[in-house]
Amino acid sequence: MKHPSELHVRSPFLFRSMAIGFALCMLAAGALGVYVLWTEIVPLYGRLYRNAPVVETPLKSFFVLAGIALTPLMIVACAIAAWTGQKFDPPKTSWLYGFQLRSLQLTLVMMACLAPAMIALTTATLSAKGYWSCPKLRISGSGWQMFWVNDERVCFTPDFYINDHWPCKRVGKKDICIQVDGR
């Protein structure tokens, strides 16, 4: 019979493989955060600036931005774990501990404070610029997505969507689509 301390010995190869795998997953999460920032958040404010007829606010995207703050810490932690074969647990007096603490604090602040504040400020700005919510434009099953319009003629129930969620209505044999990017 094995001694109880021998039952909890982990495989160094398995530990290092998991650290590398987790680093790759965190790299993907960070890349997703940058992608969402570039494709959904920045265009939102561009449309708002151009007074586009329709402005789409993907509310979940604001929370994905917190992944950008967490990614560097997790990459460093996983790299150290993969290199040394031990868990990442820096001493409290090291700069790595400070880096870990600040990264976690920044991530929590982004999720709990910054994302809700960005949503509230964006909503207030939309209202101040004369936009109102149009639930008819919402794509089925997209509860975290809102469409704001500044013209009552573009608030309709679309038959289909093209491009970047541009709503379209079929009138007779013609398809009429609203170009929502404001260009």
Side-chain angles (χ1 to χ4, degrees):
M1 183 161 177
K2 290 188 177 186
H3 190 270
S5 64
E6 293 176 3
L7 295 176
H8 300 290
V9 176
R10 67 174 178 237
S11 163
F13 176 75
L14 181 61
F15 181 77
R16 287 183 167 136
S17 299
M18 287 178 53
I20 291 168
F22 193 69
L24 293 174
C25 289
M26 282 309 300
L27 189 60
L32 175 66
V34 171
Y35 174 79
V36 164
L37 177 66
W38 187 252
T39 61
E40 294 185 14
I41 304 297
V42 172
L44 162 70
Y45 294 113
R47 290 175 181 168
L48 188 58
Y49 176 75
R50 290 188 300 272
N51 290 321
V54 178
V55 175
E56 174 190 2
T57 55
L59 301 176
K60 278 197 274 189
S61 298
F62 290 102
F63 293 98
V64 173
L65 297 179
I68 296 171
L70 187 61
T71 299
L73 165 67
M74 297 310 295
I75 298 294
V76 168
C78 290
I80 290 172
W83 183 261
T84 64
Q86 298 177 1
K87 68 178 185 172
F88 179 73
D89 189 18
K92 291 188 184 216
T93 56
S94 70
W95 72 271
L96 277 176
Y97 181 81
F99 176 62
Q100 173 184 347
L101 182 65
R102 298 298 176 257
S103 293
L104 292 173
Q105 288 172 338
L106 181 60
T107 302
L108 287 174
V109 166
M110 287 181 77
M111 287 183 72
C113 300
L114 185 64
M118 286 177 70
I119 291 169
L121 287 172
T122 302
T123 302
T125 304
L126 284 162
S127 294
K129 290 191 82 165
Y131 286 86
W132 63 91
S133 178
C134 178
K136 291 180 187 177
L137 286 175
R138 186 178 300 159
I139 297 170
S140 177
S142 61
W144 284 90
Q145 182 180 39
M146 292 181 65
F147 287 92
W148 296 77
V149 298
N150 62 2
D151 184 353
E152 62 190 36
R153 295 175 295 170
V154 296
C155 187
F156 60 90
T157 304
D159 293 326
F160 60 96
Y161 298 86
I162 62 168
N163 295 344
D164 188 23
H165 301 190
W166 295 4
C168 298
K169 188 83 171 165
R170 184 161 283 137
V171 179
K173 292 186 178 185
K174 270 186 123 173
D175 294 335
I176 300 172
C177 299
I178 305 297
Q179 186 173 350
V180 300
D181 63 0
R183 294 183 185 189

